[in-house]
Each structure stands twice: as C-alpha cells, then as structure tokens.
Amino acid sequence: MRIVHDEKLLQLIKVIPPVIVTIFACIAIFIVINHNRTQLTADIESLQKNFIASEKEMIKAQVKQLVQQTSYERDSTEALLKNDIKNYIYQAHNIATSIYKENQHKPEQEVKRLITTALRDIRFNEQRGYFFIYSVDGQSILHPILPQMEGTSKADLQDSRGNYIVRELATLSKRYGESFYHWWFVKPENKSKEFEKIGFGKYFAPYDWFIGTGEYLVDVENDIKQRLIKRISNMSFGENRYIFLLDYQGNMLSHINKDLQGTNLLAHPDSSIVNITQQLIAIAEQGEGYLEYMNFLVPSTGKPGEKISFVSGFPQWNWVIGTGFYKGETDKYLAKREQDIAQENQSQLLTLLALSLFVTVFFISLSLLLSNYLSKRFTLYKEKMNIDFNELNEVKLQSQYQALHDVLTGLPNRMQLDQQISQGITLSKQSNKSLAVMFIDLDDFKKINDLHGHSVGDNLLKFLGGAFKKVLTDRDSVVRFGGDEFIFCFPALSNKAQAQQKVAQIQKIFAQEFIIKGKSIYSSCSVGVAMYPSDGNVAEELISKADIVLYKSKAQQKGRSLFFNESINKQVKRDFLIESELREALSKNEFSVLYQPQISVDSGKIVAVEALIRWYNKILGHVSPDEFIQVAEDIGMIHDIGSFVIEQALQDILHYNVKHNATLELSLNISPKQLIETNFAEQMIAAIEQFSFKANLVTLEITENIFISDLDKVQPILKRLRDHGFRLSLDDFGTGYSSLSYLSNLPMNEIKIDRSFINKLLVSSQSEALVKTIIAIGQFYNLTVVAEGVESKAQFERLKHYNCDLIQGYYFDRPLSIIDLHAKYSTHDVS
C-alpha cells in the first residue's frame, strides 16, 4: 500500500505543477486586463478632477495676492502721504536755507521776498500741493492759492472741529523743529462733507517762521486707486487669462475688453451679462467664491465660452476683484492627456500580456522539467524532508522577526509602523481620545560619528532603543525609522497636555551623560508631534505632518519640540512656492538692485552705497530677502543670484561715478556659501576688471558667524581679496559669536553696528554702552565704523557725538533705484 501511495504521489507531482501554473497564468492575465481597464478609468477621472482643482487653486491664489496688495496699498496711504509731504517740506526748507545763507548781506525784506518768490509757484501731488509760510505768531507770509490772506493774522483760524490750525502747527513746529498735524476741512467741490487733511510744518529759525503744506487723505487714496487700476489693466496670464475689476454698483473699472471699461454692466442691454454681474457682486459682498457661467466672449476666439471665475470683495473700496479660466482650454488639454493615457495604458497592457504569455510558457516548461527531476530525487529526499522542514520553519520564524525588527536596537522597524499607528487610531477612536505620533531626530548625530567613530554612534542608538522602551505603556509603541530617527505612537491620550508629558519623558532621557566605550557623550533630540484626530486620521498623514514640524523645530532651535498647527502647514506651502518660483526668478528678470546711501558723519555727504537685492514675483508679490536668501543657499542658487547683484551693482555705480565725476564706493553683501566657493576671489577680481572698476572702491560685507565653522577656509580667501585692494567689512557686528581675535587675525577694514542696537540706542543704557564700545573698538583697530538703521535725528546726533564714521538708514534715505540715486545725489550732498 505504501508503494502504491508513493507512485500516485509521483504522478501527481508530474501533473499538478503544469496545471496549477496554467490556471494561475489565466487568472493573472484576467486580473491584469481587468485592473488595466479599471486603472485607465481611475486615471482619467483623477486627471480631470485634479486638473480643474489645480486651475481653481491657481486663480484663487492670484486673486488673493492682488487683494492683499490692494489692502497693503490702501493701508499705507497715510504713511505715503506723510513721507511725501515731509520730503517736499524738506526741499522747501533747504531752498529757503540756501537763499538765506547766500543773501545774508542783503536787507531782510529782500531776502524774505526772494524766499517767497522761489516757493510760490512750486506745485506737486498732481498740482494739488503747494507751500505756505506763517510766522510763529500766526502772520500769513505766503499763501499761493489765497494771496489775499498774506500779511493778515490767521492765529485764530479754526477747522470744522474747532482746532486752531495755524496756532497749533506753529507751536509744534517751533517746539520740536518739525511736526505733522491733522485738521478737517470741506473741499471746494464738496462743501457738504468734511475731509481729513494732513499737514507738515518745519521751523525756519532765521525769521521765526514755519514752512508747511497739507493734503487731503482722500485725494491720495484716489491716486492710489487709479494707480492700482492702471496696474491691474496691464495684468494678464497667457492668451485668455486676465484680471477684471468692477465695483459693487456694476461699473467696470478694468477689463481686457477695453469697450467694457467705464461702462455699467448692470445697465447692459444683454440680460445674461447683467445676471452674471449681479452674481459676481453678490459673491464679493459675502466675501469670496467661485462662479461657473457662460461668458459672452473668449478673447482669443471672439466667441462665447464656459468660464470658471474666482472673485473676492474688497469692501473698503466696494471693489470686486476676479480672474478665471475657460473650460474650453482645459477640455482641449484634458482630451489630449486622456488620449495619451489611453495609448500608454494600451501599450502597457500589450507588454504585460506578452510578458505573461512568455512567463507562463517558461514556467510550464520549467515545471515539467522540475517535476521529472523531483520524481527521481523524491526517494532520496523523503527521509530528509521532515528534518529540513523543521529547520526551515525555524529559519522562517527568524526571518520574519528580522524583517519586522531593527537589527541594531531590537525595536520594530518602519514596516510595522503603519500597522501600529492604525491600531492606535482604532483604539483612540473607540475611547473617543487622542493619539500622538512623535518624530524624534538626534541633534548633531553625525558629529558624534565623526568625532568618536561609527561604533560609538551605533552603541548610543542601541542604548537609546532600550531607554525608549522603558517610557512605553502596553498600548504605546516605538520604531526605529532609520538612521538616528525614531517614531513613537501614544494612543488613548486624554488631551494635548498628556502628549506634552510624553515629550518631556523622552527628552528627559537625554538629560544625562552617556558613557559609551569609555567616551563621555552628551546628546539631545528634536521632536515633531502630530495629533489624531486634529491633524489627520491616517498613519501616513500623521507621520508626514510630524516630519514637517520636526524639520521646523530643528530649523528654529535644536533640542526643542513642536506640535503641528495650520500656520506651520501654511508656512511649509509658502516655502515650497518660494523655492519653486525662485528657480525661474533670474530667467524672468524678477530681481532688481536698490542702493542705500551711506553718509559721512563729518561732511554730511554721501560717500558710499550698499547694494540690496529685491525680488518681486507675480504670485508672491514682494518677497523679503530674509525669506528667499536662505532658500537660495539651500537649493544652490546663491552663486547665480550673487553674481547678478555684483555685476549689476558694479555697472550701475561705475556709470554713476563717470556721469558725476565721483568716487562713490560700493558695499556688497556676500553670502557665506558664496564666499567659500572655489575661485570666489578670482571671480571678484575678474568682475571688477571686466567693468574697469577700482577694487579699493568695493567693500565686501561678511557676517561674523562664518568664522566659527569655516575660519580656516575663509582666511586665505580674505587675504587674497585684501591684497588685491578690496575693502572688507564685518557685518552685524556684536549679534553673533563676536571675538576680538577676528579683528586681530583677519584683514578687516570696517565693522557695521547692527540696527537692533541702534533701535534701542536712546532707550536702553545697555545698548548705548554696546554702541559706544563697538565705536571704540573700531577706533582702536583703525577700522571704519558704520551704523545701520538710523531713523531719527536724535539717533544721528548721539552717534555723531560718539564719533561714528558712516551712517545709513531711513533718516537720510530708504534704498533707492539707480535712477533715483542719480536724481537725488547728483551733487553727493545730503544737507
């Protein structure tokens, strides 16, 4: 019976494998075909949905950016007005001062007549602005609009709210040297309503006068409106995408179709246009939203087309701001993409079928050969099979364990992570509680490996794996995610406070000295935390968000913990958008260079300018250098951007010096990563030789933090530059890791006092002492000392008293375009 049984088994071994292979091959082919069809449908549906959603998000971002810019322009109306009238009064005061100084030998009445004559016909702000002069006791000296008032006393002149305009402005101007003042007047063309007016007066000591001017705030705001409407009228995005602007009354302020501009769409003879206009206004009045409708005209075709628009209201001015896209354009794109996907899918199917057929034939043939071979060897293996089976089972169990656990620490590895978090979510959901996913990363772990060797690093990880297990309860879990990264899962937490306690337990582990192979090791960790259900309800989403805040935590300060929140999410999206747009900013000519004057304290004249890069992007608007410079360094664009600034600045200042027969110096900020690049010194030398620019007129500004990590690399580069004639400046002196040894050992020419000290100069004795010390250090080392961020006369006078060399800041000027620099400093004098 045993022999018969073995013979039947041998026959089965010969027949069953080919049959099984054939059956499974047929099933596999059926599954492949069915899956291919299902995937094709899913891919097309996903493409349509994602593309429309992407287009909607794009137009929404464009409109929101424009609304944000409009709001900024409106909110800065008063500041712009104040700055303008202050500058005009400064010019008038300079004119009066110059006339007085040049004509002191003449009779007083003749000098007064020369001053009033010079200022009488000057107009500004669209010809609305003019200068008036009063004596401090209220006598009208000059009033170009109402000359009949001249020679009369206006000390008792009051506005519609009872304020004594001349008397109070005179008092403030004399007391403080200059002053702003607010009053309310009706306008000549609208006497039924009073409007706020802002004035500025500056005391003219020789004759006990004050020179002043004023402007209605609403007129400046109207100027801003018209400027914005003009800018919006020039905006377009491709052939059929544009910004449209109308008000809540239906008046079309800006549209690509110039025939519609200036018309009232609510009075349009086409009822469909009236209906669409009413819907757009209704959405804007409620805030913002999308509208899908049949537009009467597609610009590129001249025919009607289905359109999706996003509009947002700007209630301060009753504006409706919107843009959109035509579905006809997306339909063409989607049709082409669907065709491409179908062709690609068909090609993949044919390839899979051919491969399946080949594999099937191969395995049938192979199974026949193997079955014959096995039948011959079967007798020899019969007795050994039981022994081998037991050994195989042990190996299987061991392999399963190794597949799911980290060899070094013995902790579960990332293959178990999703399962553990999913189980934790289920448990937390059942008990109506929260779950915390904590992403842990050791700080400066690479330095431990580099300093002590990888074996010490591995033993530290092994020790930490055991320590991490001790903070876990039966429901908690931890895995080694990879390298020096670990992920904890804490389910069934009552609140965020409990999660913070867990973080504290983890960080407490690092509050000790680790003795590893006789080495004393100190370490710390950064922690990113995402919570269920507030931050996500699936494992992948929670891990991703915990990773995001871990990155943010390490960027802010190592050794900290950070919980995920929506503001971080928005910042990450913005950082990604900045990186994406920055890659094309140079090719799109979005960068510009401005120049902030540096003024000699002794002479009061401009002696140098600092080149400052600015970036304006259509989507992001104006992006601060504090945001994009770090991104440029991270993605390797800082060299190209730095080269652009260097070449542009050299070209601009060379032209300035030639045109004005000047020797204006140029300061350039150099990124640490740019400085330590190969051949940086040779590139700078080649740049000045290209433009025939003298090296001793160029100052390279370097932040002191680079000397901490790259001092050995930096020293020879700086020496090469200094030997060639370049001047070197230590920027933001005193804010980083300052060391007087830098000044002794490095070839510096200049130090710059950071604006944070200047801001507190008049209110903080500590800041004042630091500023005095820095100036004294500069004098001791024979270095030029530059003060940044000087914004008031009092700050200037204090720095002058302490013998600071150069000043820059808004007290003298904000950063200027090269055109404005030519216009304003053609005489190199700021007095």
Side-chain angles (χ1 to χ4, degrees):
M1 292 297 294
R2 178 79 178 182
I3 295 174
V4 173
H5 178 76
D6 287 345
E7 289 177 351
K8 289 181 178 180
L9 183 58
L10 287 173
Q11 292 298 322
L12 288 173
I13 289 174
K14 291 180 179 180
V15 175
I16 289 177
V19 172
I20 292 176
V21 169
T22 302
I23 293 172
F24 274 98
C26 293
I27 294 173
I29 292 172
F30 173 79
I31 292 173
V32 167
I33 294 173
N34 187 61
H35 174 73
N36 186 270
R37 291 174 180 172
T38 304
Q39 189 64 41
L40 174 61
T41 303
D43 288 348
I44 292 175
E45 290 176 354
S46 176
L47 173 66
Q48 294 171 340
K49 180 179 179 181
N50 293 340
F51 186 78
I52 293 295
S54 174
E55 292 291 284
K56 292 176 75 173
E57 282 297 315
M58 182 181 295
I59 63 174
K60 181 177 180 180
Q62 291 167 346
V63 171
K64 280 186 168 292
Q65 181 65 33
L66 188 55
V67 169
Q68 184 180 4
Q69 292 177 3
T70 302
S71 177
Y72 173 80
E73 294 274 2
R74 178 187 177 276
D75 292 342
S76 61
T77 300
E78 182 172 338
L80 290 172
L81 170 57
K82 284 186 173 182
N83 186 63
D84 284 347
I85 63 177
K86 181 177 180 180
N87 287 336
Y88 287 126
I89 290 299
Y90 272 37
Q91 293 174 8
H93 195 276
N94 288 340
I95 291 171
T97 301
S98 297
I99 293 174
Y100 173 77
K101 289 181 178 179
E102 293 171 3
N103 298 277
Q104 291 186 67
H105 61 283
K106 296 181 180 179
E108 180 177 312
Q109 290 302 319
E110 183 177 351
V111 178
K112 290 181 177 180
R113 182 184 60 77
L114 289 172
I115 294 173
T116 56
T117 300
L119 298 181
R120 184 177 297 278
D121 295 328
I122 297 176
R123 297 293 183 271
F124 46 89
N125 286 354
E126 306 295 334
Q127 300 300 311
R128 298 189 302 269
Y130 58 89
F131 299 116
F132 55 75
I133 300 177
Y134 286 91
S135 63
V136 172
D137 61 5
Q139 190 80 8
S140 176
I141 308 301
L142 171 66
H143 200 299
I145 305 302
L146 299 172
Q148 63 272 19
M149 289 174 49
E150 295 175 3
T152 64
S153 176
K154 294 301 176 181
D156 296 325
L157 178 63
Q158 294 178 275
D159 69 359
S160 58
R161 299 190 180 186
N163 299 308
Y164 289 92
I165 304 171
V166 176
R167 185 188 306 174
E168 293 175 4
L169 183 52
T171 301
L172 292 171
S173 298
K174 185 169 184 179
R175 181 182 301 168
Y176 300 107
E178 59 187 44
S179 178
F180 288 101
Y181 189 72
H182 294 246
W183 66 91
W184 284 261
F185 253 27
V186 297
K187 298 182 70 172
E189 69 274 15
N190 187 357
K191 296 184 179 296
S192 62
K193 181 180 178 181
E194 62 181 21
F195 297 88
E196 182 179 4
K197 197 167 187 179
I198 298 178
F200 182 79
K202 186 170 179 63
Y203 182 62
F204 187 70
Y207 297 137
D208 203 27
W209 289 351
F210 73 89
I211 304 173
T213 188
E215 176 70 294
Y216 287 101
L217 195 60
V218 67
D219 289 340
V220 178
E221 187 169 284
N222 287 335
D223 290 345
I224 291 174
K225 284 184 182 179
Q226 294 306 313
R227 185 166 70 250
L228 284 170
I229 291 173
K230 183 177 180 181
R231 187 191 307 166
I232 291 171
S233 298
N234 295 325
M235 288 184 178
S236 62
F237 310 98
E239 192 174 30
N240 291 319
R241 300 197 181 188
Y242 53 88
I243 298 292
F244 58 84
L245 176 64
L246 63 152
D247 60 25
Y248 288 1
Q249 288 72 45
N251 297 306
M252 181 57 73
L253 306 178
S254 175
H255 195 276
I256 194 173
N257 186 347
K258 303 305 180 184
D259 294 336
L260 292 179
Q261 289 190 185
T263 65
N264 189 299
L265 298 188
L266 294 178
H268 199 280
D270 190 338
S271 60
S272 64
I273 293 179
V274 174
N275 182 47
I276 292 169
T277 303
Q278 291 172 341
Q279 294 181 63
L280 292 172
I281 293 174
I283 293 173
E285 288 177 336
Q286 294 174 5
E288 61 183 30
Y290 294 94
L291 180 65
E292 185 171 348
Y293 57 95
M294 180 62 70
N295 197 28
F296 73 100
L297 181 67
V298 179
S300 62
T301 65
K303 299 178 180 179
E306 192 174 1
K307 186 176 184 180
I308 297 177
S309 289
F310 180 84
V311 296
S312 179
F314 191 70
Q316 294 88 338
W317 289 344
N318 289 342
W319 277 8
V320 181
I321 303 174
T323 187
F325 62 93
Y326 290 92
K327 293 187 69 176
E329 294 179 329
T330 63
D331 291 340
K332 292 178 183 178
Y333 173 82
L334 290 173
K336 179 64 170 61
R337 288 291 296 126
E338 288 172 7
Q339 182 179 0
D340 293 342
I341 291 174
Q343 291 177 350
E344 181 180 356
N345 193 273
Q346 184 69 23
S347 175
Q348 291 177 352
L349 177 60
L350 293 175
T351 301
L352 286 172
L353 289 176
L355 181 61
S356 299
L357 182 60
F358 171 80
V359 171
T360 301
V361 172
F362 173 80
F363 278 103
I364 289 175
S365 302
L366 183 62
S367 64
L368 288 172
L369 292 172
L370 288 175
S371 61
N372 288 329
Y373 176 77
L374 288 173
S375 64
K376 296 177 181 178
R377 301 291 296 176
F378 184 75
T379 302
L380 297 175
Y381 284 119
K382 249 188 331 181
E383 295 180 356
K384 191 178 179 181
M385 281 179 64
N386 290 332
I387 299 172
D388 290 345
F389 178 79
N390 292 332
E391 293 179 353
L392 183 62
N393 193 47
E394 291 178 2
V395 171
K396 176 185 175 183
L397 293 175
Q398 184 178 2
S399 297
Q400 288 176 342
Y401 179 85
Q402 292 177 346
L404 298 175
H405 289 77
D406 175 52
V407 176
L408 179 63
T409 63
L411 296 176
N413 60 23
R414 61 198 305 172
M415 292 185 65
Q416 295 192 59
L417 182 59
D418 284 355
Q419 179 183 359
Q420 290 178 347
I421 295 177
S422 298
Q423 290 173 351
I425 290 174
T426 301
L427 177 63
S428 302
K429 188 174 183 180
Q430 291 171 350
S431 57
N432 196 26
K433 292 188 176 183
S434 300
L435 173 141
V437 172
M438 300 185 183
F439 210 128
I440 313 297
D441 180 80
L442 271 61
D443 300 323
D444 298 324
F445 183 70
K446 183 178 182 297
K447 291 183 179 179
I448 295 175
N449 280 334
D450 292 343
L451 184 62
H452 301 294
H454 286 274
S455 62
V456 171
D458 288 345
N459 277 276
L460 176 60
L461 293 175
K462 187 175 181 180
F463 177 85
L464 289 173
F468 288 160
K469 291 179 183 178
K470 295 178 182 179
V471 302
L472 303 180
T473 66
D474 294 339
R475 296 173 297 187
D476 305 334
S477 59
V478 61
V479 304
R480 184 186 179 194
F481 194 72
D484 59 336
E485 296 175 334
F486 299 84
I487 293 183
F488 286 82
C489 175
F490 296 106
L493 301 177
S494 299
N495 48 44
K496 183 179 178 180
Q498 283 192 345
Q500 291 171 331
Q501 292 174 1
K502 296 292 186 182
V503 172
Q505 288 180 330
I506 295 170
Q507 291 184 324
K508 187 177 180 180
I509 294 173
F510 292 86
Q512 61 177 301
E513 177 186 19
F514 302 104
I515 305 299
I516 308 295
K517 288 192 171 183
K519 305 289 186 180
S520 177
I521 306 295
Y522 288 93
S523 183
S524 62
C525 71
S526 298
V527 186
V529 186
M531 300 287 292
Y532 162 86
S534 59
D535 301 331
N537 53 20
V538 294
E540 183 177 2
E541 184 178 9
L542 292 172
I543 294 170
S544 175
K545 290 182 176 179
D547 190 20
I548 287 173
V549 289
L550 171 64
Y551 166 78
K552 280 292 179 185
S553 175
K554 292 182 76 69
Q556 293 175 2
Q557 181 181 340
K558 293 178 180 179
R560 293 182 55 192
S561 62
L562 192 63
F563 281 69
F564 182 86
N565 57 58
E566 191 56 34
S567 65
I568 292 176
N569 192 32
K570 290 181 180 178
Q571 183 60 48
V572 170
K573 291 181 179 179
R574 176 174 174 80
D575 291 345
F576 179 79
L577 183 58
I578 288 176
E579 178 179 334
S580 176
E581 293 297 317
L582 187 62
R583 293 183 184 277
E584 299 182 359
L586 272 173
S587 62
K588 292 181 178 179
N589 296 319
E590 294 179 349
F591 289 117
S592 60
V593 181
L594 301 183
Y595 303 93
Q596 184 163 39
Q598 294 181 343
I599 309 301
S600 169
V601 174
D602 291 335
S603 67
K605 294 183 177 182
I606 183 171
V607 297
V609 292
E610 179 180 358
L612 301 171
I613 188 170
R614 294 293 183 264
W615 179 28
Y616 176 78
N617 177 266
K618 290 183 178 180
I619 298 176
L620 294 164
H622 292 283
V623 185
S624 167
D626 291 340
E627 281 192 280
F628 72 80
I629 290 298
Q630 181 61 52
V631 176
E633 290 180 340
D634 292 341
I635 65 176
M637 284 192 62
I638 193 63
H639 174 76
D640 293 337
I641 294 175
S643 297
F644 163 78
V645 174
I646 291 168
E647 293 178 7
Q648 185 67 53
L650 289 173
Q651 184 176 349
D652 287 346
I653 303 307
L654 177 64
H655 180 252
Y656 177 95
N657 285 340
V658 172
K659 181 176 181 181
H660 301 294
N661 191 25
T663 55
L664 188 64
E665 298 179 12
L666 171 65
S667 285
L668 296 167
N669 290 285
I670 304 300
S671 162
K673 289 195 175 181
Q674 187 180 9
L675 179 66
I676 61 176
E677 283 184 349
T678 305
N679 297 327
F680 171 76
E682 282 64 31
Q683 291 169 3
M684 278 301 309
I685 294 170
I688 62 170
E689 290 178 349
Q690 177 186 352
F691 293 100
S692 300
F693 204 101
K694 295 180 180 178
N696 62 353
L697 296 182
V698 179
T699 299
L700 305 179
E701 297 188 14
I702 305 155
T703 56
E704 61 186 347
N705 290 343
I706 190 175
F707 302 132
I708 299 299
S709 57
D710 295 298
L711 182 59
D712 293 338
K713 294 181 181 179
V714 168
Q715 275 185 312
I717 298 173
L718 297 183
K719 186 176 184 304
R720 175 81 171 99
L721 292 168
R722 177 67 182 271
D723 290 345
H724 197 78
F726 289 96
R727 290 173 52 81
L728 302 174
S729 174
L730 194 56
D731 197 10
D732 300 336
F733 186 76
T735 60
Y737 302 94
S738 302
S739 173
L740 296 182
S741 63
Y742 299 152
L743 303 181
S744 300
N745 300 326
L746 295 173
M748 309 308 294
N749 304 92
E750 175 183 285
I751 55 176
K752 299 190 75 174
I753 306 174
D754 186 69
R755 66 180 61 248
S756 62
F757 298 137
I758 303 302
N759 289 341
K760 300 176 183 178
L761 175 63
L762 304 178
V763 296
S764 169
S765 58
Q766 183 178 11
S767 291
E768 183 176 11
L770 284 170
V771 170
K772 290 170 62 178
T773 302
I774 293 172
I775 294 174
I777 290 172
Q779 293 171 345
F780 180 81
Y781 284 99
N782 196 26
L783 302 174
T784 301
V785 181
V786 183
E788 294 183 294
V790 178
E791 298 185 355
S792 70
K793 183 177 181 180
Q795 290 174 341
F796 169 72
E797 294 294 343
R798 188 69 57 85
L799 290 165
K800 183 177 181 180
H801 175 71
Y802 292 145
N803 296 319
C804 186
D805 298 309
L806 300 180
I807 301 290
Q808 69 181 78
Y810 282 12
Y811 175 67
F812 295 100
D813 243 322
R814 63 183 63 248
L816 302 171
S817 68
I818 188 62
I819 295 174
D820 292 339
L821 187 70
H822 277 285
K824 190 164 186 179
Y825 291 101
S826 58
T827 63
H828 324 307
D829 198 342
V830 297
S831 60

